[in-house]
Amino acid sequence: MSKAAELAALIGSGQAQGDRNFIINGDMQVSQRATGATAVGSGYYTIDRFKTHKNNDGAFTIEQSTDNPFGTGNSLKMAVTTADTSVAAGQYLFLSQSIEAQNLQSLLYGTSSAKTVTLSFWVKSNKTGTYVITLYKSDNTITVIPVEYTIDSANTWEKKTITVTPTAGGTSLITASGGAIDNNNAEGLMVIFGLAWGSTYNGGTNNTWSSNSNHYSTSNQVNWMDSTSNNFYLSQLQFEIGEVATPFEHRSFGDEYQRCLRYYYKTPAPNGGMSANETFPCIGNMDGSTTGAYMLQFPIPMRAAPTAFEQSGTASDYSIRVTSDANGTSVPTAGGFTAESALINLVSSGAGFTSGDACFMRAESTDAFLAFSAEL
């Protein structure tokens, strides 16, 4: 079948319609936390929605890179800074994105009508060999499938396509009732890019569903951590229903940013920045003569009430302003979290404010920001 005929068939089947990519920020546009190389462990550090999981003796950085397969756009780059040449049994390193369960109901997992899915992406590394992609479903019966792919040429962008059927390996775990993904705002599937796996986790069979929660990988996965020369680039990640990888679904920066805000919100917004002496997007009133109490409304409702709050800078980077302003004597604190808002308190060194006065909080430095996380 020609490419034109293939695309026409996809359009006719509905597979090529818009909003088909379950992955958020798959072309690595949004990076609220940082863009440059950042030394990391386990957690979210740079590019939105991508999490690192580390338990080994090495070290690495992660960043948003402009190196990409098309001459324009971004990629996620990882680089080893301290090698681990011998990964112990219980050690690992992987990159993941968790997909919200209620967004995956169209997969019909847990029924005889469960859908085939296809993962496509561009990848580049100096270290060639066998790598493993894993789908991990934690709802009901834990079900996991490792699928091998190969980086064939060093330092060369290559497109990979992986198709996973609901009965891969002759199994019925996904089509049985225990294969269901709950319809809620928790994790439905985790898409995992393996980089190093100890023997505790590499007993899976290629392209075969398993109920063993340790079957993240096969024994063929390379140890990407074995040299400080090693790098790993990822771009245009797409996960969709169907047996064919459709062209990557490009979304605008604004669209991807809005989707990311459901999981992490940092003020100021990264698509404009904020300089010193500009206000935060919240107003409030004086709770006594020295404490400003502010209600910060999130731009869009978050997935759930935030479970983490960050702020940057020192007390002098924040001030309360009514008709005059006074620097803070401490950094802001936050509480009263809901999916829609948070209550921010800032204690001022100033005197003469009146309880009940309307006020706002001002940044005295570009180092000042507030951030809230409702990540999976």
Side-chain angles (χ1 to χ4, degrees):
M1 181 183 293
S2 69
K3 288 293 183 182
E6 183 179 274
L7 184 57
L10 291 171
I11 293 172
S13 69
Q15 189 185 338
Q17 294 175 357
D19 204 19
R20 63 190 179 277
N21 189 3
F22 291 109
I23 296 293
I24 295 174
N25 201 27
D27 53 358
M28 320 301 171
Q29 294 187 73
V30 183
S31 194
Q32 294 185 77
R33 294 171 176 87
T35 56
T38 304
V40 301
S42 291
Y44 293 90
Y45 291 94
T46 56
I47 295 175
D48 280 54
R49 301 295 301 120
F50 288 88
K51 183 179 183 180
T52 53
H53 307 252
K54 177 187 181 297
N55 176 25
N56 59 47
D57 300 321
F60 65 100
T61 59
I62 188 169
E63 65 186 282
Q64 183 187 54
S65 173
T66 56
D67 188 341
N68 65 87
F70 306 106
T72 181
N74 298 309
S75 64
L76 180 153
K77 177 186 177 183
M78 299 173 68
V80 178
T81 55
T82 301
D84 182 355
T85 58
S86 180
V87 179
Q91 294 185 325
Y92 54 79
L93 173 64
F94 62 94
L95 176 74
S96 76
Q97 181 167 143
S98 292
I99 304 174
E100 198 169 333
Q102 59 192 358
N103 295 339
L104 293 167
Q105 296 307 297
S106 57
L107 297 185
L108 299 180
Y109 278 15
T111 77
S112 59
S113 301
K115 303 293 186 181
T116 293
V117 294
T118 295
L119 190 74
S120 57
F121 55 94
W122 286 84
V123 66
K124 181 174 81 165
S125 178
N126 66 299
K127 185 171 181 65
T128 59
T130 300
Y131 291 74
V132 175
I133 288 282
T134 308
L135 300 182
Y136 188 99
K137 184 190 73 68
S138 56
D139 282 338
N140 301 297
T141 300
I142 292 176
T143 317
V144 59
I145 184 168
V147 185
E148 297 176 352
Y149 70 97
T150 303
I151 294 180
D152 300 297
S153 301
N155 303 311
T156 303
W157 280 105
E158 300 173 352
K159 185 176 182 180
K160 305 299 177 181
T161 299
I162 291 172
T163 297
V164 178
T165 68
T167 56
T171 61
S172 58
L173 291 165
I174 291 297
T175 54
S177 59
I181 296 174
D182 295 337
N183 189 11
N184 57 29
N185 64 349
E187 178 188 277
L189 280 178
M190 187 190 304
V191 179
I192 294 171
F193 285 80
L195 294 166
W197 292 106
S199 59
T200 299
Y201 306 107
N202 69 8
T205 300
N206 182 42
N207 203 20
T208 299
W209 289 103
S210 172
S211 58
N212 187 321
S213 60
N214 283 337
H215 282 175
Y216 286 90
S217 182
T218 72
S219 58
N220 295 323
Q221 163 79 47
V222 301
N223 174 16
W224 176 79
M225 290 292 296
D226 66 1
S227 169
T228 54
S229 299
N230 292 348
N231 55 51
F232 182 85
Y233 294 83
L234 180 66
S235 188
Q236 295 209 354
L237 173 60
Q238 182 151 292
F239 180 60
E240 60 190 312
I241 292 175
E243 300 178 356
V244 177
T246 65
F248 182 77
E249 181 184 356
H250 289 278
R251 300 177 183 133
S252 69
F253 179 91
D255 190 351
E256 292 287 20
Y257 177 55
Q258 289 284 322
R259 293 169 190 252
C260 292
L261 291 180
R262 179 166 172 79
Y263 305 92
Y264 182 80
Y265 170 54
K266 177 181 177 181
T267 163
N271 58 342
M274 184 172 79
S275 60
N277 300 322
E278 293 189 16
T279 60
F280 287 91
C282 56
I283 60 173
N285 62 276
M286 295 303 301
D287 183 10
S289 61
T290 59
T291 300
Y294 308 89
M295 183 60 70
L296 189 151
Q297 194 80 21
F298 301 135
I300 65 170
M302 302 193 78
R303 180 188 65 85
T307 55
F309 167 67
E310 307 167 46
Q311 60 78 33
S312 180
T314 64
S316 62
D317 293 324
Y318 304 86
S319 69
I320 293 173
R321 186 171 182 89
V322 182
T323 55
S324 60
D325 68 285
N327 286 349
T329 57
S330 63
V331 296
T333 59
F337 295 133
T338 71
E340 290 77 27
S341 62
L343 178 64
I344 313 297
N345 288 314
L346 178 64
V347 178
S348 170
S349 60
F353 294 132
T354 301
S355 181
D357 279 353
C359 60
F360 57 86
M361 180 166 49
R362 195 172 80 169
E364 299 294 337
S365 165
T366 54
D367 292 331
F369 71 78
L370 310 177
F372 306 83
S373 175
E375 297 280 11
L376 288 162

